[in-house]
Amino acid sequence: MYLPPLFPTLLRTTGAGFCYNIGRIAAGLGTVFFGLFSHVGDFRMALLYAALLFLPAGAIALMLPVGAEERAAS
């Protein structure tokens, strides 16, 4: 099934624009947020907090199902 014909063009473009730009907003807020944790010349805590974001991302990646391409390769 091909999904784009099920939605009007305005809704599709609005959704695509939202998804594209939410990353920019998160990056801007993240810069300000981590900037609050850094003292002048000391970015260790900000880098630690940024590095800790990879732990839940790695756990979620490990819980993802195996794709058909990977099953066929093994």
Side-chain angles (χ1 to χ4, degrees):
M1 176 183 257
Y2 189 57
L3 291 178
L6 298 177
F7 300 98
T9 304
L10 181 61
L11 183 62
R12 288 194 319 253
T13 56
T14 301
F18 174 79
C19 292
Y20 180 76
N21 288 310
I22 196 72
R24 289 180 172 195
I25 294 169
L29 292 175
T31 302
V32 172
F33 178 72
F34 289 122
L36 295 174
F37 287 111
S38 65
H39 302 292
V40 175
D42 185 20
F43 296 103
R44 289 179 291 180
M45 290 305 291
L47 290 174
L48 175 68
Y49 292 139
L52 290 177
L53 293 174
F54 286 101
L55 294 176
I60 290 171
L62 289 174
M63 291 186 286
L64 290 173
V66 177
E69 301 87 18
E70 294 174 5
R71 272 189 247 127
S74 60

